[in-house]
Amino acid sequence: ELRKCSADEAEALMAGFESAGWTTRRLYRQLQEWIAEANPAAGPRYLVDKTPVYPMDSAILDRMEHDFANARYIHLVRHPFATVYSFIEAKLEEVFFRWEHSWSMRELAELVYLVSHRNIVNFLDRIPTERQHRVWFEEMVGDAPRVMQGVCDFLEIDFHGDMLQPYKGDKMTSGIRPGHQMAGDFKFYLRNQIDPRAADRWKRFSKGDALSDMTWDIARRFNYELPIEEA
């Protein structure tokens, strides 16, 4: 998008960067320079990275803080049961976790939740509070204007109404080639607006299921409580 080039040209650019041994930091600096050049009259644009696998390796989190000056972190949390069932429903082990393992999909989903959030909590405990902001999924879908205004205040950017319209227009969710699907959550295409009911869908599947004490220890940090039947 920034270079206004084809998919083949973009792949050639990336191959060149890889063969030259570029680091993530150097690539992001290049992206930021291209962003500044793209339309300077439009004002500043910001580079945002949302990569769910990062928290599974605490060294990656440490490297983010080392490589980028005054980075700001938005920590999105969700009820553990909801996260586990969403992982299973979207078959995220096929695109999210490609290491050899002996766990069931259900076990893997909970382990990803536990390890990721435990690493994030340990990491953010060392980050100044003014550079971190937590967002609860349930509040985001239930009161999106207030939550998104809070995110804007944290990032010191202006609120825009389109932030409440995630399905409006082209959000770079289509495949890079005709006929190819996005490499993400297929459920994105099942809605056309923010749905508050998504916050509690997990309750239809959780009967008789249980989570480990370690998972609940982390979830309590985010004010989630053990269901009565599990307690």
Side-chain angles (χ1 to χ4, degrees), residues 127-143:
I127 302 299
T129 56
E130 63 270 16
R131 288 202 286 115
Q132 55 177 287
H133 182 70
R134 183 166 291 155
V135 172
W136 281 262
F137 174 86
E138 294 81 5
E139 293 183 356
M140 184 177 67
V141 298
D143 191 0

Side-chain angles (χ1 to χ4, degrees), residues 143-213:
D143 191 0
R146 177 184 62 80
V147 173
M148 289 308 302
Q149 182 63 63
V151 170
C152 291
D153 293 343
F154 167 66
L155 296 176
E156 298 181 354
I157 62 176
D158 293 333
F159 175 83
H160 193 287
D162 280 356
M163 294 176 180
L164 306 180
Q165 302 292 331
Y167 304 94
K168 176 183 176 182
D170 179 18
K171 292 296 192 294
M172 298 178 70
T173 56
S174 55
I176 62 172
R177 300 181 187 281
H180 284 213
Q181 292 184 335
M182 64 185 285
D185 189 350
F186 71 92
K187 292 182 292 183
F188 183 85
Y189 295 113
L190 301 181
R191 298 187 178 90
N192 55 21
Q193 62 183 2
I194 297 174
D195 184 2
R197 294 174 298 178
D200 294 325
R201 285 184 65 245
W202 63 269
K203 294 181 179 179
R204 291 186 287 171
F205 307 103
S206 66
K207 303 301 182 184
D209 200 356
L211 296 166
S212 72
D213 291 341

Side-chain angles (χ1 to χ4, degrees), residues 60-83:
I60 294 178
L61 302 181
D62 292 337
R63 192 160 66 243
M64 291 192 301
E65 182 66 10
H66 177 269
D67 285 353
F68 302 99
N70 299 316
R72 302 187 189 190
Y73 303 98
I74 298 174
H75 182 196
L76 175 64
V77 298
R78 190 179 183 184
H79 194 285
F81 271 134
T83 307

Side-chain angles (χ1 to χ4, degrees), residues 88-106:
I88 296 171
E89 188 177 38
K91 296 181 172 62
L92 288 184
E93 83 286 353
E94 297 178 4
V95 296
F96 187 85
F97 195 92
R98 299 188 176 186
W99 296 273
E100 291 292 331
H101 65 87
S102 59
W103 302 301
S104 69
M105 192 187 308
R106 167 64 180 77

